Amino acid sequence: MPGAKPIYVLNGPNLNLLGTREPHIYGHLTLAEIEAACVARAGQLGRTIVFRQSNVEGELVNWLQEARDQAAAVVLNAGAYTHTSVALHDAIKAIGVPVIETHLSNPMAREEFRHVSLVGQAAKGVIAGFGATSYLLAIEAAALLSQESPP
Ligand code: DQA
């Protein structure tokens, strides 16, 4: 879609450690490798992405607010803030841009404290449990949701 706004892919705390962080849960790919796969998938769909990571909750809030004007849709892996952040929940509600909650693992199949998602209670939808493929599916969903005539 020529001229379309980019899809923002925002990553929360500890995702900078991917590759070495609990690889039996999160896989062996680094965040840079996941970013490269996202860029490639977006390119196949004729879309561009802005890919960022922060360990700081407020920075994620700022990026969501920026996305209000600058992004067509947001793929958000908020990491542990998924389960705790009223601020992210409120930011998602405020911006009016579709947000797709995304996870490498399937939080519903893990510890009970991961079963609550404050992000998911505000997001358009959730893709979780497919490893790095979750990001690619989320980009596809973001591209479809933000095209001129969504399915
Ligand atoms: C995660 C799942 C969260 O529960 C966890 O805190 C993370 C990663 C995932 O991608 O599977 O940091 O968001």
Side-chain angles (χ1 to χ4, degrees):
M1 216 164 65
K5 290 177 182 175
I7 295 164
Y8 274 32
V9 184
L10 303 180
N11 296 278
N14 300 307
L15 294 167
N16 54 315
L17 301 180
L18 288 178
T20 55
R21 176 193 179 198
E22 300 185 276
H24 56 291
I25 297 174
Y26 298 118
H28 291 276
L29 292 184
T30 64
L31 194 62
E33 289 168 330
I34 291 175
E35 177 177 0
C38 288
V39 169
R41 186 74 192 109
Q44 288 163 356
L45 298 167
R47 303 298 292 264
T48 57
I49 62 168
V50 168
F51 194 98
R52 296 184 188 150
Q53 187 275 333
S54 178
N55 294 326
V56 179
E57 186 177 9
E59 194 149 31
L60 294 163
V61 171
N62 286 339
W63 290 340
L64 283 167
Q65 290 187 11
E66 178 187 308
R68 182 185 206 171
D69 300 319
Q70 303 294 325
V74 178
V75 171
L76 174 63
N77 184 352
Y81 293 141
T82 303
H83 316 298
T84 62
S85 179
V86 177
L88 289 180
H89 174 102
D90 287 350
I92 293 165
K93 287 234 162 140
I95 63 173
V97 167
V99 174
I100 298 146
E101 177 185 353
T102 305
H103 301 284
L104 295 153
S105 67
N106 176 2
M108 293 308 290
R110 299 181 61 195
E111 304 95 322
E112 212 168 308
F113 64 83
R114 296 183 204 276
H115 295 180
V116 170
S117 172
L118 301 188
V119 164
Q121 288 173 33
K124 179 90 177 164
V126 184
I127 298 176
F130 303 106
T133 301
S134 291
Y135 281 75
L136 306 184
L137 295 170
I139 284 173
E140 197 154 330
L144 288 168
L145 287 168
S146 62
Q147 70 188 17
E148 266 160 33
S149 320

